[in-house]
Amino acid sequence: MQWKRITAVAATVMLAAVACGSPSSNSGSKGDSNTLGGAQVKATDPTAKGPAPDVDGAKKGGTITVLSDVTPDTFDPTNIYYVDGNQIGKLFYRSLTQYRLDGADHKPVLVPDLAEDLGTKSADGLTWTFKLKQGIKYQDGTPVKAEDYAYAIKRSFAHELYDAGPTYQQQFFLDGDKYKGPYVKGGDNYKGVETPDDHTLVIHLAKKFDDLPYYAAFPLFTPIPKAKDTQKNYEQHPMATGPYQVSSYQPGTELKLTKNPSWDPNTDPVRHQYVDGFDFKFSQDLIKAQRQVLASSGPDANALNYSNLDVSLLPEVKDQSQMIKGASPCTIMYTMDTRKIPLDVRKLIAKAHPYDGWRKVAGLNPTDDPPASTILPPAVPGFDKYELPGLTGTGKGAEDDAVAAEVKSELAKIGKSNFELSWYYSIDDKISTQTTQFRKQMFEKAGFKVRAIGVPKAKIRTFTGDQNAPVNIGKSPTGWCSDWPSGTSWFPVLFKSDAIGLGNSVGQLEDKALDAEIDAVTAKAPDEQLKEWTKVDKDIMEKYLPVLPLYYSQSNFPVGKNIGHAINDPTQGLPEFTSLYLKQP
Amino acid sequence: MSIGSPDSTVGVEEHPASAEPVRGAATPHGKSPSRIAFDRLRKDRVAVTCASIVLFFILLAVLAPLLTKLEGQDYSTFHTDLVDEFGYPTIGVNGSHWLGVEPKTGRDNFARWVYGARPSLIIAFLATVVGTIIGVVMGLLAGFLGGWTDRVISWLIDFVLSLPFLLFAIALVPIVESMRGGSFNLTPNEQASIRFYVLIFVLSFFGWAGLARIIRGEVLSLREREFVLAAKAIGVPTRQVLFKELLPNLVAPIVISASLAVPAYVTAEAGLSFLGVGLVEPIPSWGQTIAVATNWFKADPLYLWLPVVGITALVLALALLGDAIRDAFDPKTRR
């Protein structure tokens, strides 16, 4: 899943400081890897039933305001892929499955949501059958039908129209590479999904995909009645199955949610309906919004912000209980186009990169924000921390004169003196321009030539998202979050050759051997994969080095004083919205 | 206007109030009005103080490279070893960093402060000079020639005055960048300097119209005066009438308008940079620093106070000086 702040990350890396890490230690000593990780475990509970257990002391009523500096690109269930769109969508879209956060450490457990179970796999693993719950209604009272699920899945193949959405169905479902969605001629006939009766959904696969129940938690699997599908305008009036419904949506500005009267708590093992509504205000000023939330005066006590606290606001945190902290399944990276930068040079870039100084200039908070040495973040099961020399996410790099001189002489030795490094940055963003200046000074000191191209902040995503852009550093995705707790939502998506075509490639690797290695692991049973992915991780870093892991993003959000049960959802690295309540509504 | 032509005392006699206290006591006959005004200015303690403050900032800007050399720093080098892991400076004011260092980046505060005076002053003065020259020429032509010229120029003045200044300033940057070959072919330094010149252009483009309108009004009343009619009657060429006969009589409004424009432009530059449409890194400027430093006002007050004091002192001094100049040139407004 793309990181919510991808726009900013691409060049800026981060507007804000970062999160507090370690759930177990509040002081969070630097680089203490033992306190990291283990937040996401592949746990399932196929028999979970609604209603969700009540939160202690929860009250009903009131409206929660969410002041957000980032703007989700879409709320169309098929097109949502950024973590924040997904998390907000959970309030009004129900999927086949969902995560329940268990226990004091909020361990995510996959439970059936609109399905009766977590799906049954055929013997060959190519056919999945989901039993559907009965009596589910949309907000207008019309019943949800089995073909609505099938239609939603068909809709997700119209990737030209919903180009931001996830693409696993095209890689794994039957005829996924050929079928182009329900809008083209003959689009109604798709053999990949079947609804033999009113409470069964059958999905046919082209190749084994044991993580399908996890994928089924995406809003892409929410039922969509064909008659109500207005394509690109669907997000204006989507059919809600969750506890809330969209009352008004102005793209980029505001999303208002009110209670969904047709939602039946007895069918939902995860969600609550404590507050009367949510008011999401987007495109706010980060510092201003966070300061407001921290001060919690008047209506701001009912507000929260889901970006990590800016480091300059640290002295203003008077009450630690106002901060939501916890793990998030994301790694932020410095990507290098392997087609344009030879491996020898990539190794020298890694040596010259001034991690420590860069972290300060970018405003990262060290105690909250652990430096990364691996591609997989600690929250992914099977994570095994390893540190290759010089790739620990720390170090002075070319800030150290000796290192700079060494890199310079080695560059000369391999005949690459003045090798040009180029990247995009947003010219109207202070942090982006400063980190760019800093890196430029350091890389030039180490004998590279630097061409930094300033583009407006509003457009930078278009530039960095182009896999064939005429730069060799910093193409997105520069931050990645697990789609579900497994390496399968990382390596096949990011490092295989076909990732370039799907627009998700990290390092633009086109290596047959690596493709084969990744495919071999994907074919294994989920439990066997765990350790294998770490091996792949290390292999990529040792042999290919397409990326410098920078840090593992973790959560550290400010919430207003009146908001109760504000907890971090480790599957998204965002607040868990569906169980929030107001202490004094 | 109460000032006669420089080589005549007629005007002064016609308006005895204009020179009454000065001429009565200290000023002998034969001093030019500008000279009289300057003498008044010198006796004005506020004016002298303000002038020295402005002079101080000008010297600061001119001598910036020398001063930073003396300190042993420069404005662009990052010293990330001087800030802690949270980005807070670990050092205060000391011998090698006279005013400490910036949070996060560790760049030298003093160097950024003295260099920050440069764009403010250069932009303000250049924009004033260019705006004044255009405004005076347009005003003279419109007022003196009349007829079609007047109508066209007056229409132009109204047109410029009706354009939205802020939108224009924001929109012009990408246009000029694309004319220079698009952002792909420009280094950060080139992009920053483009913004610099665009700012000067935008400020002078919007600055000339107001002055031109004032000058036109003045000229309209002056051109029927005897000395102008006489010059015309004996066949003095138009250019000479404009610049030899009329212009010296317009010194007062020009000086006043210019001296009030400078502080306005300093504020405008800082404001635009604060909003992110003015100067950008790597050019250091006070407006930008204020924009960043507002987030740090609790943790590192000095970082915010430096540019704020700089801008406030400079603008206040310039504005009071402008007032004093107006008073000196136009004694009727004296309290």
Side-chain angles (χ1 to χ4, degrees), chain A residues 340-403:
Chain A
K340 293 180 178 169
I341 311 178
L343 181 60
D344 293 346
V345 181
R346 296 205 292 276
K347 283 183 176 156
L348 291 176
I349 293 175
K351 206 171 209 174
H353 189 266
Y355 293 99
D356 290 351
W358 170 82
R359 290 173 64 92
K360 291 174 186 172
V361 177
L364 301 184
N365 184 335
T367 54
D368 296 344
D369 185 31
S373 64
T374 62
I375 297 166
L376 276 184
V380 175
F383 166 81
D384 189 11
K385 192 173 175 74
Y386 66 87
E387 282 188 348
L388 297 176
L391 289 169
T392 54
T394 56
K396 288 175 84 76
E399 264 193 293
D400 188 340
D401 293 337
V403 174

Coordinates of all heavy atoms in Angstrom, one line a residue, chain A residues 340-403:
Chain A
K340 N 20.0 3.2 -14.8 CA 20.8 4.4 -15.1 C 22.1 4.5 -14.2 O 23.0 5.2 -14.6 CB 20.0 5.7 -15.0 CG 18.9 5.7 -16.0 CD 18.0 6.9 -15.8 CE 17.0 7.0 -16.9 NZ 16.0 8.0 -16.7
I341 N 22.1 3.9 -13.1 CA 23.3 4.0 -12.2 C 23.9 2.7 -12.0 O 23.2 1.8 -11.5 CB 22.9 4.6 -10.8 CG1 22.0 5.9 -10.9 CG2 24.1 4.9 -10.0 CD1 21.5 6.4 -9.6
P342 N 25.1 2.5 -12.4 CA 25.8 1.2 -12.3 C 25.9 0.8 -10.8 O 26.0 1.7 -9.9 CB 27.1 1.3 -12.9 CG 27.1 2.7 -13.5 CD 26.0 3.5 -13.1
L343 N 26.0 -0.5 -10.5 CA 26.1 -1.0 -9.2 C 27.3 -0.4 -8.4 O 27.1 0.0 -7.2 CB 26.2 -2.5 -9.2 CG 26.2 -3.2 -7.8 CD1 25.0 -2.9 -7.0 CD2 26.4 -4.7 -8.0
D344 N 28.4 -0.3 -9.0 CA 29.6 0.3 -8.3 C 29.3 1.7 -7.8 O 29.6 2.1 -6.7 CB 30.8 0.4 -9.3 CG 31.3 -1.0 -9.7 OD1 30.9 -1.9 -9.1 OD2 32.0 -1.0 -10.7
V345 N 28.6 2.5 -8.7 CA 28.3 3.8 -8.3 C 27.2 3.8 -7.2 O 27.3 4.6 -6.2 CB 27.8 4.6 -9.5 CG1 27.5 6.1 -9.1 CG2 28.9 4.6 -10.6
R346 N 26.3 2.9 -7.3 CA 25.2 2.8 -6.2 C 25.9 2.6 -4.9 O 25.4 3.1 -3.9 CB 24.2 1.7 -6.6 CG 23.4 2.0 -7.8 CD 22.1 1.2 -7.8 NE 22.2 -0.2 -7.9 CZ 22.3 -0.9 -9.0 NH1 22.4 -0.3 -10.2 NH2 22.3 -2.2 -8.9
K347 N 26.9 1.7 -4.9 CA 27.6 1.4 -3.6 C 28.2 2.7 -3.1 O 28.2 2.9 -1.9 CB 28.6 0.3 -3.8 CG 27.9 -1.0 -3.9 CD 29.0 -2.1 -4.0 CE 28.3 -3.5 -4.0 NZ 29.1 -4.5 -4.6
L348 N 28.8 3.5 -4.0 CA 29.5 4.7 -3.5 C 28.4 5.7 -3.0 O 28.7 6.5 -2.1 CB 30.3 5.3 -4.6 CG 31.5 4.4 -5.0 CD1 32.3 5.0 -6.1 CD2 32.5 4.3 -3.8
I349 N 27.3 5.7 -3.7 CA 26.2 6.7 -3.2 C 25.8 6.3 -1.8 O 25.7 7.1 -0.9 CB 25.0 6.6 -4.1 CG1 25.3 7.1 -5.5 CG2 23.8 7.4 -3.5 CD1 24.2 7.0 -6.5
A350 N 25.7 5.0 -1.6 CA 25.3 4.5 -0.2 C 26.4 5.0 0.8 O 26.1 5.3 1.9 CB 25.2 3.0 -0.2
K351 N 27.6 4.9 0.4 CA 28.7 5.3 1.3 C 28.7 6.8 1.5 O 28.9 7.3 2.6 CB 30.0 5.0 0.6 CG 31.2 4.7 1.5 CD 32.4 4.2 0.8 CE 33.2 3.3 1.6 NZ 34.3 2.6 0.8
A352 N 28.3 7.6 0.5 CA 28.4 9.1 0.6 C 27.2 9.6 1.3 O 27.2 10.8 1.7 CB 28.6 9.7 -0.7
H353 N 26.0 8.9 1.3 CA 24.8 9.5 1.7 C 24.9 9.8 3.2 O 25.1 9.0 4.1 CB 23.6 8.5 1.5 CG 22.3 9.2 1.8 ND1 21.7 9.1 3.0 CD2 21.5 9.9 1.0 CE1 20.6 9.8 3.0 NE2 20.4 10.3 1.8
P354 N 24.7 11.1 3.5 CA 24.8 11.6 4.9 C 23.6 11.4 5.8 O 22.8 12.3 6.0 CB 25.1 13.1 4.7 CG 24.4 13.4 3.5 CD 24.4 12.2 2.6
Y355 N 23.4 10.1 6.2 CA 22.2 9.8 6.9 C 21.9 10.7 8.1 O 20.8 11.3 8.3 CB 22.2 8.3 7.4 CG 22.2 7.3 6.3 CD1 23.4 6.7 5.9 CD2 21.0 6.9 5.7 CE1 23.4 5.7 4.9 CE2 21.0 5.9 4.7 CZ 22.2 5.4 4.3 OH 22.2 4.4 3.4
D356 N 22.9 10.8 9.0 CA 22.7 11.5 10.3 C 22.2 13.0 10.0 O 21.3 13.5 10.6 CB 23.9 11.5 11.1 CG 24.2 10.1 11.7 OD1 23.3 9.3 11.5 OD2 25.3 9.9 12.2
G357 N 23.0 13.6 9.2 CA 22.7 15.0 8.9 C 21.4 15.2 8.2 O 20.6 16.1 8.5
W358 N 21.1 14.3 7.2 CA 19.9 14.3 6.5 C 18.7 14.2 7.4 O 17.7 14.9 7.3 CB 19.9 13.2 5.4 CG 18.5 13.1 4.8 CD1 18.0 13.9 3.8 CD2 17.5 12.2 5.2 NE1 16.7 13.5 3.6 CE2 16.4 12.4 4.4 CE3 17.4 11.1 6.1 CZ2 15.2 11.7 4.5 CZ3 16.3 10.4 6.2 CH2 15.2 10.7 5.4
R359 N 18.8 13.3 8.4 CA 17.7 13.1 9.4 C 17.4 14.4 10.1 O 16.3 14.7 10.4 CB 18.0 12.0 10.4 CG 18.1 10.6 9.8 CD 18.6 9.6 10.8 NE 17.7 9.5 11.9 CZ 16.7 8.6 12.0 NH1 16.5 7.8 11.0 NH2 15.9 8.6 13.0
K360 N 18.5 15.1 10.5 CA 18.3 16.4 11.2 C 17.6 17.4 10.3 O 16.7 18.1 10.7 CB 19.6 16.9 11.7 CG 20.2 16.0 12.8 CD 21.6 16.5 13.2 CE 22.2 15.6 14.2 NZ 23.6 15.9 14.4
V361 N 18.2 17.5 9.1 CA 17.6 18.6 8.2 C 16.2 18.3 7.8 O 15.3 19.1 7.7 CB 18.5 18.7 6.9 CG1 17.9 19.7 5.9 CG2 19.9 19.0 7.3
A362 N 15.9 17.0 7.7 CA 14.5 16.6 7.3 C 13.6 16.7 8.5 O 12.4 16.6 8.4 CB 14.5 15.2 6.7
G363 N 14.1 16.9 9.7 CA 13.3 17.0 10.9 C 12.8 15.7 11.4 O 11.7 15.6 12.0
L364 N 13.5 14.6 11.3 CA 13.1 13.3 11.8 C 13.4 13.3 13.3 O 14.4 13.7 13.7 CB 13.8 12.2 11.1 CG 13.5 12.1 9.6 CD1 14.2 10.9 9.0 CD2 12.1 12.1 9.3
N365 N 12.5 12.6 14.0 CA 12.7 12.5 15.4 C 13.3 11.2 15.8 O 12.7 10.1 15.5 CB 11.3 12.6 16.1 CG 11.3 12.7 17.6 OD1 12.3 12.2 18.2 ND2 10.3 13.2 18.1
P366 N 14.5 11.2 16.3 CA 15.3 10.0 16.4 C 14.7 8.9 17.4 O 14.7 7.7 17.1 CB 16.6 10.4 16.9 CG 16.4 11.7 17.6 CD 15.2 12.3 16.9
T367 N 14.1 9.4 18.5 CA 13.7 8.4 19.5 C 12.4 7.8 19.0 O 12.1 6.6 19.3 CB 13.3 9.1 20.8 OG1 12.5 10.2 20.6 CG2 14.6 9.6 21.5
D368 N 11.7 8.5 18.1 CA 10.4 7.9 17.6 C 10.6 7.2 16.3 O 9.7 6.5 15.8 CB 9.4 9.0 17.4 CG 9.1 9.7 18.6 OD1 9.3 9.2 19.7 OD2 8.5 10.8 18.6
D369 N 11.7 7.3 15.7 CA 11.8 7.1 14.3 C 13.0 6.3 13.9 O 14.1 6.8 13.6 CB 11.8 8.4 13.6 CG 11.8 8.2 12.1 OD1 11.2 7.3 11.7 OD2 12.4 9.1 11.4
P370 N 13.0 4.9 14.0 CA 14.2 4.1 13.9 C 14.8 4.1 12.5 O 14.1 4.0 11.5 CB 13.7 2.7 14.3 CG 12.2 2.8 14.1 CD 11.8 4.2 14.2
P371 N 16.1 4.3 12.4 CA 16.8 4.2 11.1 C 16.5 2.8 10.6 O 16.5 1.8 11.3 CB 18.2 4.4 11.5 CG 18.2 5.0 12.8 CD 17.0 4.5 13.5
A372 N 16.4 2.6 9.3 CA 16.2 1.3 8.6 C 17.4 0.7 8.1 O 18.2 1.5 7.5 CB 15.1 1.5 7.6
S373 N 17.5 -0.6 8.2 CA 18.6 -1.2 7.5 C 18.1 -2.3 6.6 O 18.9 -2.9 5.9 CB 19.6 -1.9 8.5 OG 18.9 -2.8 9.3
T374 N 16.8 -2.5 6.6 CA 16.2 -3.6 5.7 C 15.1 -3.0 4.9 O 14.6 -1.9 5.2 CB 15.6 -4.7 6.6 OG1 14.6 -4.1 7.4 CG2 16.6 -5.3 7.5
I375 N 14.7 -3.7 3.9 CA 13.6 -3.2 3.1 C 12.2 -3.5 3.8 O 11.4 -2.6 3.9 CB 13.5 -3.9 1.7 CG1 14.8 -3.5 0.9 CG2 12.3 -3.5 0.9 CD1 15.1 -4.4 -0.3
L376 N 12.1 -4.7 4.4 CA 10.9 -5.0 5.1 C 10.9 -4.3 6.5 O 11.9 -4.2 7.1 CB 10.8 -6.5 5.4 CG 10.3 -7.5 4.4 CD1 10.2 -8.9 5.0 CD2 8.9 -7.0 4.0
P377 N 9.8 -3.7 6.9 CA 9.8 -3.0 8.2 C 9.5 -4.1 9.3 O 9.1 -5.2 9.0 CB 8.6 -2.1 8.1 CG 7.7 -2.7 7.1 CD 8.6 -3.5 6.1
P378 N 9.9 -3.8 10.5 CA 9.8 -4.7 11.6 C 8.3 -5.3 11.8 O 8.1 -6.4 12.3 CB 10.2 -4.0 12.8 CG 10.9 -2.8 12.3 CD 10.4 -2.5 11.0
A379 N 7.3 -4.5 11.3 CA 6.0 -4.9 11.6 C 5.6 -6.1 10.7 O 4.5 -6.7 10.9 CB 5.0 -3.8 11.3
V380 N 6.4 -6.5 9.7 CA 6.0 -7.6 8.9 C 6.5 -8.9 9.5 O 7.6 -9.0 9.9 CB 6.6 -7.5 7.5 CG1 6.3 -8.7 6.6 CG2 6.0 -6.2 6.8
P381 N 5.6 -9.9 9.6 CA 6.0 -11.2 10.2 C 7.2 -11.8 9.5 O 7.3 -11.7 8.2 CB 4.8 -12.1 10.1 CG 3.7 -11.2 9.6 CD 4.2 -10.0 9.1
G382 N 8.1 -12.4 10.2 CA 9.3 -13.0 9.6 C 10.4 -12.0 9.5 O 11.5 -12.4 9.1
F383 N 10.1 -10.8 9.9 CA 11.2 -9.8 9.8 C 12.4 -10.2 10.7 O 12.2 -10.6 11.8 CB 10.6 -8.4 10.4 CG 11.7 -7.4 10.7 CD1 12.3 -6.7 9.7 CD2 12.1 -7.2 12.0 CE1 13.2 -5.7 10.0 CE2 13.1 -6.3 12.3 CZ 13.7 -5.5 11.3
D384 N 13.5 -10.1 10.2 CA 14.7 -10.5 10.9 C 15.7 -9.4 10.6 O 16.2 -9.3 9.5 CB 15.2 -11.9 10.4 CG 16.3 -12.4 11.3 OD1 16.5 -11.8 12.4 OD2 17.0 -13.4 10.8
K385 N 16.0 -8.6 11.7 CA 16.9 -7.5 11.4 C 18.3 -7.9 11.1 O 18.9 -8.7 11.8 CB 16.9 -6.6 12.7 CG 17.6 -5.2 12.4 CD 17.4 -4.3 13.5 CE 18.2 -3.0 13.3 NZ 17.5 -2.1 12.4
Y386 N 18.8 -7.4 10.0 CA 20.2 -7.6 9.6 C 20.8 -6.2 9.3 O 20.0 -5.3 8.9 CB 20.4 -8.6 8.5 CG 19.8 -8.0 7.2 CD1 20.6 -7.3 6.3 CD2 18.5 -8.3 6.8 CE1 20.1 -6.8 5.1 CE2 18.0 -7.8 5.6 CZ 18.8 -7.0 4.8 OH 18.3 -6.5 3.6
E387 N 22.1 -6.1 9.4 CA 22.7 -4.8 9.1 C 23.9 -5.1 8.2 O 24.8 -5.7 8.6 CB 23.1 -4.1 10.4 CG 21.9 -3.4 11.1 CD 22.4 -2.5 12.2 OE1 23.6 -2.6 12.6 OE2 21.5 -1.8 12.7
L388 N 23.8 -4.6 7.0 CA 25.0 -4.7 6.1 C 25.8 -3.5 6.4 O 25.3 -2.4 6.7 CB 24.5 -4.6 4.6 CG 23.7 -5.8 4.2 CD1 23.2 -5.6 2.7 CD2 24.4 -7.1 4.3
P389 N 27.1 -3.7 6.4 CA 28.0 -2.6 6.7 C 27.8 -1.3 5.8 O 27.7 -1.5 4.6 CB 29.4 -3.1 6.5 CG 29.2 -4.4 5.8 CD 27.9 -4.9 6.1
G390 N 27.6 -0.2 6.5 CA 27.4 1.0 5.7 C 25.9 1.2 5.3 O 25.6 2.3 4.7
L391 N 25.0 0.3 5.6 CA 23.6 0.4 5.2 C 22.7 0.3 6.4 O 21.8 -0.5 6.4 CB 23.2 -0.6 4.2 CG 23.8 -0.5 2.8 CD1 23.6 -1.7 1.9 CD2 23.3 0.8 2.1
T392 N 23.0 1.1 7.4 CA 22.3 1.0 8.7 C 21.3 2.1 8.9 O 20.7 2.2 9.9 CB 23.3 1.0 9.8 OG1 24.1 2.2 9.7 CG2 24.2 -0.2 9.8
G393 N 21.2 3.0 7.9 CA 20.3 4.1 8.1 C 20.9 5.2 9.0 O 20.3 6.2 9.3
T394 N 22.2 5.0 9.4 CA 22.8 6.0 10.2 C 24.2 6.2 9.6 O 24.7 5.5 8.7 CB 23.0 5.5 11.7 OG1 23.7 4.3 11.6 CG2 21.7 5.4 12.3
G395 N 24.9 7.2 10.1 CA 26.3 7.4 9.7 C 26.4 8.8 9.1 O 25.5 9.4 8.6
K396 N 27.6 9.3 9.1 CA 27.9 10.7 8.6 C 28.0 10.8 7.1 O 27.8 11.8 6.6 CB 29.1 11.3 9.3 CG 28.9 11.6 10.8 CD 30.2 12.0 11.4 CE 30.4 13.5 11.2 NZ 29.6 14.3 12.1
G397 N 28.4 9.7 6.5 CA 28.6 9.7 5.0 C 29.6 10.8 4.6 O 30.6 10.9 5.3
A398 N 29.3 11.5 3.6 CA 30.2 12.5 3.0 C 30.4 13.7 3.9 O 31.3 14.5 3.6 CB 29.8 12.9 1.7
E399 N 29.6 13.8 5.0 CA 29.9 14.9 6.0 C 31.3 14.7 6.6 O 31.9 15.7 7.0 CB 28.8 14.8 7.1 CG 27.7 15.8 6.8 CD 26.9 15.9 8.1 OE1 26.2 15.0 8.5 OE2 26.9 17.0 8.6
D400 N 31.7 13.5 6.6 CA 33.1 13.2 7.1 C 34.0 13.4 6.0 O 33.9 12.7 4.9 CB 33.1 11.7 7.6 CG 34.4 11.4 8.3 OD1 35.3 12.1 8.1 OD2 34.4 10.4 9.0
D401 N 35.0 14.3 6.1 CA 35.9 14.6 5.0 C 36.6 13.4 4.5 O 36.8 13.3 3.3 CB 36.9 15.7 5.5 CG 36.2 17.0 5.8 OD1 35.1 17.2 5.2 OD2 36.7 17.8 6.6
A402 N 37.0 12.5 5.4 CA 37.8 11.3 5.0 C 36.9 10.5 4.0 O 37.4 10.0 3.0 CB 38.2 10.5 6.2
V403 N 35.7 10.3 4.4 CA 34.8 9.5 3.6 C 34.6 10.1 2.2 O 34.6 9.5 1.2 CB 33.4 9.2 4.3 CG1 32.4 8.5 3.3 CG2 33.6 8.5 5.6

